[in-house]
Amino acid sequence: MSQTHISLSAGEWQIMECLWEQSPRTLMEMVHTVSPATGWSKSTIVTMVGRLEAKGAVAYTEGRKARLYAPTIAREQAALRETESLLRRVYRGNLGMLVNTLADTRGLTREDIDELSAILEKAKEGQV
């Protein structure tokens, strides 16, 4: 999988989720999977797949009847890059401010708090 930074739009995330869920897929398989939820036409999906290919996020191999598309980046890698970008751009790198905003606007369940506490304990121990 590629290590270069690839920024994905919200729509591109939907195409990538389709491919992360199952790949490789043909273009028509992506259309049948993504269109019902988004209402996008085949041409819209073709355009988005082309953009993802140009960014290096997907690649294809020639199948028997159609191209088979697969992601070139792992979902976890893409999510980490987007999270780091959000943290830098919106919160000026201040992780506490991000967590505070989420706590204030979403509210935290007891499970959320326990999970965050466990993460912080691991970080204290240098195990993260």
Side-chain angles (χ1 to χ4, degrees):
M1 301 266 167
S2 172
Q3 294 300 315
T4 60
H5 176 65
I6 297 171
S7 180
L8 302 173
S9 71
E12 290 167 343
W13 268 96
Q14 291 189 277
I15 301 291
M16 293 301 292
E17 289 288 357
C18 171
L19 290 172
W20 285 320
E21 179 183 295
Q22 179 186 331
S23 66
R25 288 188 192 236
T26 65
L27 193 55
M28 288 313 296
E29 288 171 334
M30 286 186 271
V31 169
H32 292 303
T33 301
V34 175
S35 274
T38 62
W40 296 340
S41 67
K42 177 183 173 187
S43 64
T44 298
I45 294 171
V46 168
T47 299
M48 294 184 84
V49 170
R51 287 183 191 155
L52 288 166
E53 188 180 350
K55 288 181 177 187
V58 300
Y60 68 87
T61 56
E62 292 294 342
R64 294 177 84 161
K65 293 184 179 183
R67 291 178 173 176
L68 297 170
Y69 291 88
T72 61
I73 57 173
R75 187 187 192 293
E76 296 77 18
Q77 177 188 2
L80 176 61
R81 301 237 185 223
E82 291 295 327
T83 302
E84 289 171 344
S85 176
L86 173 74
L87 187 60
R88 276 191 315 275
R89 286 181 296 111
V90 178
Y91 297 99
R92 297 185 195 140
N94 187 324
L95 184 58
M97 205 160 101
L98 169 67
V99 174
N100 190 51
T101 299
L102 291 173
D104 285 349
T105 58
R106 277 187 65 209
L108 296 176
T109 65
R110 184 74 208 153
E111 292 78 22
D112 291 335
I113 294 167
D114 290 344
E115 185 177 1
L116 287 169
S117 293
I119 291 167
L120 293 173
E121 280 304 312
K122 280 185 182 178
K124 277 184 188 178
E125 298 167 9
Q127 295 178 352
V128 175

